[in-house]
Amino acid sequence: MGNHALLSASSSRRWLNCPPSARLGENYEDKGSDFAAEGTDAHSLCEHKLKTALGIPSEDPTEDLTWYNEEMEECASGYAAYVLELLAEAKKVTTDPIVLIEQRLDYDRLHMDKKRIPVRKEHRGYAYLHP
């Protein structure tokens, strides 16, 4: 599965609805696709846009993005604006909201049964932002 986590956020719909599918996928080579490559480019651009909007130094990745286009630019800008709106709302209820950008989350040790198969659980009090 390459660099992908066993319980990745992007495949959570599948493994939450069919927990054994997380382990089954380990038996197959991750060949990637044009869709996955475009998604990776979009994540890079969203990360750059958000960091820039938050005043965090970031190098513009657009020259190196194979799938970059006007639509991706508009979506990434819209995403950054949306996160800034959420941040403004969060600041109304807390003085120190935290924005984590493109952080790897390790779900692998969470909510596993004795056979290391993910088990569906309810999460309360957490909001995950994912472009």
Side-chain angles (χ1 to χ4, degrees):
M1 290 181 71
N3 290 333
H4 290 99
L6 173 63
L7 302 178
S8 69
S10 60
S11 65
S12 63
R13 182 176 180 167
R14 179 176 35 83
W15 57 259
L16 282 170
N17 287 297
C18 181
S21 69
R23 287 282 177 203
L24 183 63
E26 291 179 315
N27 297 321
Y28 298 93
E29 179 184 351
D30 183 2
K31 297 178 182 177
S33 68
D34 288 347
F35 300 110
E38 183 178 18
T40 298
D41 281 1
H43 276 256
S44 296
L45 185 59
C46 285
E47 177 181 7
H48 167 69
K49 292 284 188 178
L50 185 53
K51 282 183 174 180
T52 301
L54 293 170
I56 300 169
S58 177
E59 192 171 318
D60 188 343
T62 53
E63 286 183 17
D64 299 323
L65 301 179
T66 303
W67 297 93
Y68 176 78
N69 59 33
E70 186 177 326
E71 179 184 16
M72 186 181 289
E73 175 72 26
E74 291 173 10
C75 289
S77 294
Y79 165 74
Y82 176 66
V83 173
L84 291 179
E85 289 174 18
L86 293 176
L87 180 59
E89 289 298 313
K91 287 180 178 180
K92 293 178 183 177
V93 295
T94 185
T95 58
D96 59 348
I98 298 171
V99 177
L100 300 175
I101 305 169
E102 289 294 325
Q103 296 292 311
R104 185 174 179 92
L105 301 175
D106 183 6
Y107 295 112
D108 293 355
R109 292 179 287 172
L110 301 176
H111 310 301
M112 303 293 259
D113 71 7
K114 291 178 183 177
K115 295 179 185 175
R116 300 262 319 135
I117 295 175
V119 178
R120 178 178 238 159
K121 297 277 186 179
E122 290 295 320
H123 300 283
R124 296 183 190 274
Y126 295 95
Y128 297 101
L129 299 177
H130 192 271

